[in-house]
Amino acid sequence: MRLKLLLRPGWLLSALVTVAFAVTCFTLLAPWQFDRHTERDATNAAVQASFDAPPAPLGSVPGDEWRRVTLKGSYLPEAEALARLRTVQGAAAFEVLTPFRLTDGSVVLVDRGFVRPGEGVRVPSYAAPPSGQVELLARVRFGESTQRAAFNEDGRRQVYAVDPAVVGQAANLSIRPGYLQLEVGAPGVLGALPLPQLEAGPFLSYALQWIAFGTMALLALFYFTWREIKPGGSLAETRSRRQSVSEILAEDEERERAELSGG
């Protein structure tokens, strides 16, 4: 049967690789880009809504990310930490994380903004937060997570993520989940962190491209399979034996003799 011709190891391996690539496109790569597109849409909607909603006291409104809130209390500079290996506006930065005790006694984590590294990757000097009670204007942010503990370097406590639990554990404080990102002009702000750009990004087009790639791979597999098993397909073609150099020269000599005798 002609179908047996498709059981050759080389053909089976090619078919397996093609199907695996298509499945990866449909079940992993395309959904991943669709998820990123959905996340970007949600972020854009939240940021846009925050422009229209007036600031509200912390805890009086739902804790939607990017919501602008006001809070009163005092900084705890002795519990401060720096988030390292950050990128802000395309350049390396540290983000300064300072716990803040609210008037009700609870503690939240405040991201005072960024500072640029000095002398390579060393921590530069920067302004301390104001002392005493202050009122802040900030945006609600969801906390990050990491399994890496805080450590001390260049005389500063440093962490690998804006994780309130890690900062609190290092400072022996109970810090509420999430954190607050200071707005421009708020007391204690350093380099204010920029807001996300309100654009859809390329994620949807990337997802559609992965679907197209997977579909084309399956169509190509189907086409070449059909071409091979149909009557007269290339698998049934007998391939001519390659001539040796001596055979070619012999044919040329014979052709020349025939031309001379005919002349």
Side-chain angles (χ1 to χ4, degrees), residues 113-131:
F114 70 94
V115 292
R116 300 295 184 192
E119 298 179 2
V121 295
R122 298 184 65 85
V123 178
S125 60
Y126 56 87
S131 59

Side-chain angles (χ1 to χ4, degrees), residues 10 21 38 47 49 64 75 80 84 93 127 145-146 156 193 203-204 221 238 245 247:
F21 171 74
T38 301
V47 173
D64 296 330
Y75 283 108
E80 189 171 81
R84 61 187 283 121
S145 62
T146 180
R156 300 280 186 174
L193 293 168
F203 309 119
L204 181 59
L221 177 62
T238 57
V245 175
E247 291 174 333

Side-chain angles (χ1 to χ4, degrees), residues 117-247:
E119 298 179 2
V121 295
R122 298 184 65 85
V123 178
S125 60
Y126 56 87
S131 59
Q133 183 169 297
V134 293
E135 182 172 355
L136 305 180
L137 175 62
R139 291 180 180 271
V140 175
R141 297 295 310 275
F142 296 153
E144 302 170 2
S145 62
T146 180
Q147 299 299 320
R148 307 176 74 174
F151 65 96
N152 291 313
E153 186 174 303
D154 293 338
R156 300 280 186 174
R157 181 182 294 125
Q158 299 187 31
V159 294
Y160 287 96
V162 187
D163 188 336
V166 173
V167 176
Q169 183 178 16
N172 198 24
L173 287 172
S174 177
I175 302 179
R176 290 166 51 172
Y179 67 99
L180 289 307
Q181 177 179 309
L182 286 189
E183 289 278 83
V184 176
V189 70
L190 298 169
L193 293 168
L195 295 177
Q197 295 183 350
L198 299 181
E199 57 182 19
F203 309 119
L204 181 59
S205 63
Y206 288 165
L208 297 177
Q209 287 176 15
W210 283 122
I211 292 176
F213 292 155
T215 302
M216 287 188 293
L218 292 179
L219 290 176
L221 177 62
F222 173 79
Y223 168 74
F224 286 110
T225 302
W226 170 79
R227 194 188 70 172
E228 299 295 340
I229 65 175
K230 72 182 181 67
S234 61
L235 286 179
E237 295 175 358
T238 57
R239 308 193 183 280
S240 59
R241 183 177 63 86
R242 178 176 294 180
Q243 291 180 308
S244 65
V245 175
S246 59
E247 291 174 333

